[in-house]
Amino acid sequence: PAFRMRFARLVTLACHDLRTPLATVQGFAKTLLRMDVTPEQRERYLPAMARGEHRAAIVQRLERAAA
């Protein structure tokens, strides 16, 4: 039980540290998409947003699994 609690705490802290930069990148990409950008630029930013959302979902699943 003590190991499990320490492991869960470690995962929770790691997930928090991962979530912050992911949110920053997603916010930046969304802001860029609201700006007047070329279709080529838009195509470049959309995959970054999708990858960020996918990674955020992985972090959420990891955190739930450790709880």
Side-chain angles (χ1 to χ4, degrees), residues 22 24-55:
L22 283 171
T24 301
V25 169
Q26 286 179 304
F28 182 68
K30 287 177 183 178
T31 299
L32 287 173
L33 287 175
R34 283 189 230 119
M35 298 172 64
D36 186 27
V37 295
T38 66
E40 293 81 17
Q41 290 171 319
R42 185 174 295 273
E43 286 180 27
R44 193 175 339 154
Y45 303 139
L46 286 175
M49 285 179 58
R51 284 190 305 271
E53 291 169 3
H54 176 72
R55 289 176 180 145

